[in-house]
């Protein structure tokens, strides 16, 4: 028997009311961010590595899946920030360091591969070094970008349309994905023990919070902050520490425990920021859990061989230090080209330290719902503040 239309309308209204009571944010209007400003490392670099000229730029097969050319992204295609931009109908973010053909009218990307929260002790092109563009310097670039962009707008002319309007800076979404390399510096450059690394994490978080406060003082009010991923599941970690204790899925257990401790302290810090700055929206996003699920149960999500590099060569993990993806080298009198696997779309690990486009798309689809966020705010609602219990 069919229900009368009036009854159907009542049930729809009742369901909507319950939803609003359960999570009031879901009943608010979606956010209309006119721009995005991103800070981070290689997980969200969209071309800064290529623009710096400090290191050889990545070549094909980087970018082969989506762009069909290398764009400086350390993936076969798009990275998380690309999917975030697309979800708001905004163009891909140009790297701030990219001066050729860049359009910054809807934001800029300050992320650079190898970046850290704290100033690096060794910066590339020193072998094993990290980016000189640490988080504090990325914030300085934001300040300078605003100053220079508004001078350009005042002058008018052809370039005025290529930079943001002044009001975009306060209305923008500020995204962060950084911290993984600080742990890497401690583990691999400073050779710290796991206990020593954990003891250093509060300092990493304090510096991170300082930069968030600077962006708040600058005028930012909407923050979308990724925690760090399961470092112990990266192929580079597995090759670096072959005898380290492994967990049930084959990842380096102590490295992941360090990452989880970093994430715990980060989440605490963001909750405190939410209490201190009640007029801003701070969303903590648990990308760790989503990424780890790809290693824990890849077949469930349509992936395979998550610990084995797609673009690499040698050994049980198809990865060898000194033989990077996309390069040719002479080994034992034979010319070797390090190419990609046949179907990157079903693979998780791209080049030993980064994710494939397929994995990045999977991660975005899950974190954008708010199911892995604190508070549980969907990406489209990230401008809305939540009431913090005292």
């Amino acid at each position: 028997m069919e229900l009368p239309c009036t009854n159907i309308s009542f049930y729809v209204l009742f369901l909507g009311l319950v939803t609003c009571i359960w999570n009031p944010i879901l009943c608010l209007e979606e956010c209309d961010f006119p721009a995005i400003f991103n800070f981070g490392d290689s997980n969200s670099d969209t071309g800064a590595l290529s623009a710096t000229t400090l290191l050889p730029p990545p070549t094909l097969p980087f970018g082969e899946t989506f762009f069909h050319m290398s764009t400086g992204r350390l993936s076969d295609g798009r990275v998380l920030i690309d999917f975030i931009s697309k979800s708001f109908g905004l163009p891909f973010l140009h790297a701030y360091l990219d001066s050729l053909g860049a359009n910054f009218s809807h934001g800029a990307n300050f992320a650079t591969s190898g970046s850290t929260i704290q100033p690096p002790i060794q910066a590339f092109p020193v072998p094993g070094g990290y980016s000189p563009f640490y988080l504090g310097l990325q914030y300085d670039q934001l300040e300078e970008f605003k100053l220079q962009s508004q001078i350009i707008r005042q002058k008018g002319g052809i370039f005025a349309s290529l930079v943001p309007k002044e009001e975009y800076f306060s209305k923008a979404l500020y995204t962060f994905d950084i911290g993984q390399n600080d742990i890497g510096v401690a583990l691999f450059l400073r050779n710290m023990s796991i206990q020593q690394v954990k003891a250093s994490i509060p300092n990493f978080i304090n510096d991170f919070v300082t930069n968030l406060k600077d962006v708040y003082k600058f005028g930012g009010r909407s923050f979308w902050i990724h925690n760090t991923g399961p470092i112990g599941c990266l192929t580079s970690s597995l090759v670096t520490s072959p005898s380290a204790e492994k967990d049930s899925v084959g990842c380096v257990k102590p490295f992941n425990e360090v990452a989880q401790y970093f994430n715990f302290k980060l989440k605490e810090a963001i909750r405190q920021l939410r209490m201190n700055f009640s007029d801003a929206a701070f969303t903590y996003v648990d990308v760790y859990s989503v990424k780890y699920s790809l290693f824990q149960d890849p077949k469930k999500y349509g992936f395979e061989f998550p610990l084995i590099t797609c673009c690499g060569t040698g050994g049980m993990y198809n990865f060898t230090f000194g033989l990077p993806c996309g390069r040719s080298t002479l080994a034992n009198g034979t010319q070797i080209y390090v190419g990609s696997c046949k179907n990157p779309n079903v693979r998780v690990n791209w080049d030993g330290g980064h994710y494939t486009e397929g994995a990045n798309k999977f991660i975005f689809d899950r974190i954008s719902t708010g199911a892995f966020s604190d508070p549980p705010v969907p990406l489209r609602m990230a401008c809305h503040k939540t009431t913090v219990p005292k």
Side-chain angles (χ1 to χ4, degrees):
M1 183 179 68
E2 294 185 0
L3 290 173
C5 291
T6 53
N7 288 344
I8 294 176
S9 299
F10 171 79
Y11 288 125
V12 171
L13 180 62
F14 177 75
L15 181 60
L17 179 61
V18 171
T19 301
C20 291
I21 293 174
W22 173 69
N23 190 348
I25 287 181
L26 296 179
C27 294
L28 299 174
E29 290 185 4
E30 292 186 344
C31 305
D32 183 21
F33 295 115
I36 296 174
F37 296 101
N38 182 67
F39 305 83
D41 52 32
S42 58
N43 289 308
S44 59
D45 186 349
T46 56
L49 179 62
S50 299
T52 61
T53 70
L54 294 174
L55 288 175
T59 59
L60 282 170
F62 285 97
E64 65 177 5
T65 296
F66 183 82
F67 300 100
H68 309 298
M69 59 178 287
S70 175
T71 62
R73 293 164 173 80
L74 296 185
S75 176
D76 61 309
R78 292 165 289 182
V79 293
L80 280 178
I81 190 62
D82 294 319
F83 293 106
I84 291 174
S85 298
K86 179 184 176 183
S87 71
F88 290 105
L90 299 177
F92 296 143
L93 292 183
H94 280 278
Y96 171 73
L97 297 175
D98 187 3
S99 60
L100 298 176
N103 184 341
F104 298 112
S105 59
H106 293 284
N109 190 1
F110 302 96
T112 306
S113 296
S115 287
T116 50
I117 296 171
Q118 297 189 319
I121 58 172
Q122 288 184 343
F124 57 59
V126 174
Y130 289 79
S131 170
F133 300 99
Y134 66 99
L135 185 56
L137 187 53
Q138 291 181 24
Y139 171 73
D140 291 341
Q141 291 174 331
L142 170 68
E143 283 195 323
E144 182 66 16
F145 175 67
K146 182 179 181 182
L147 174 64
Q148 296 300 327
S149 66
Q150 297 318 295
I151 292 174
I152 291 172
R153 289 195 65 86
Q154 290 171 8
K155 288 182 178 179
I158 189 173
F159 297 111
S161 63
L162 299 178
V163 293
K165 297 178 181 179
E166 184 174 8
E167 62 267 26
Y168 283 10
F169 289 92
S170 60
K171 297 178 179 179
L173 177 66
Y174 289 83
T175 54
F176 296 79
D177 193 328
I178 196 167
Q180 176 177 309
N181 290 326
D182 292 87
I183 297 174
V185 167
L187 287 171
F188 306 122
L189 281 187
R190 294 182 172 175
N191 295 315
M192 289 183 175
S193 67
I194 296 299
Q195 292 72 23
Q196 289 173 324
V197 178
K198 286 185 176 180
S200 301
I201 283 175
N203 293 329
F204 302 163
I205 300 301
N206 287 340
D207 285 1
F208 183 81
V209 168
T210 295
N211 283 278
L212 284 180
K213 289 180 178 178
D214 286 340
V215 176
Y216 174 85
K217 294 174 185 175
F218 175 81
R221 289 297 181 269
S222 299
F223 299 82
W224 182 263
I225 305 159
H226 294 176
N227 67 11
T228 198
I231 299 170
C233 297
L234 298 177
T235 310
S236 54
S237 295
L238 296 168
V239 173
T240 301
S241 305
S243 60
E245 180 185 3
K246 306 298 192 300
D247 65 13
S248 60
V249 301
C251 302
V252 179
K253 186 176 180 179
F255 290 2
N256 280 350
E257 288 175 347
V258 169
Q260 289 173 311
Y261 183 66
F262 175 94
N263 293 340
F264 170 73
K265 301 301 289 185
L266 176 64
K267 188 174 184 179
E268 277 189 338
I270 293 173
R271 285 184 171 178
Q272 186 62 49
L273 283 170
R274 203 177 297 128
M275 294 177 67
N276 294 344
F277 304 102
S278 59
D279 61 331
F282 295 91
T283 307
Y284 167 90
V285 186
D286 183 15
V287 298
Y288 180 100
S289 293
V290 181
K291 288 181 176 180
Y292 190 75
S293 69
L294 287 171
F295 299 96
Q296 193 172 36
D297 200 355
K299 291 183 179 180
K300 178 180 178 181
Y301 305 112
F303 292 89
E304 61 185 17
F305 312 125
L307 298 176
I308 298 176
T309 296
C310 173
C311 188
T313 186
M316 64 183 295
Y317 297 113
N318 194 41
F319 178 85
T320 304
F321 283 105
L323 295 177
C325 173
R327 301 291 178 183
S328 295
T329 188
L330 191 65
N332 298 323
T334 303
Q335 193 72 21
I336 297 176
Y337 172 72
V338 184
S340 63
C341 56
K342 291 183 178 180
N343 190 4
N345 289 327
V346 297
R347 301 294 288 274
V348 175
N349 194 307
W350 168 243
D351 63 350
H354 307 94
Y355 291 80
T356 62
E357 173 174 297
N360 284 324
K361 175 64 164 56
F362 170 87
I363 296 162
F364 170 79
D365 287 343
R366 278 146 186 80
I367 64 171
S368 61
T369 65
F372 293 88
S373 298
D374 177 41
V377 177
L379 175 62
R380 298 288 301 180
M381 304 290 187
C383 63
H384 296 296
K385 299 171 284 293
T386 58
T387 302
V388 179
K390 295 183 178 180

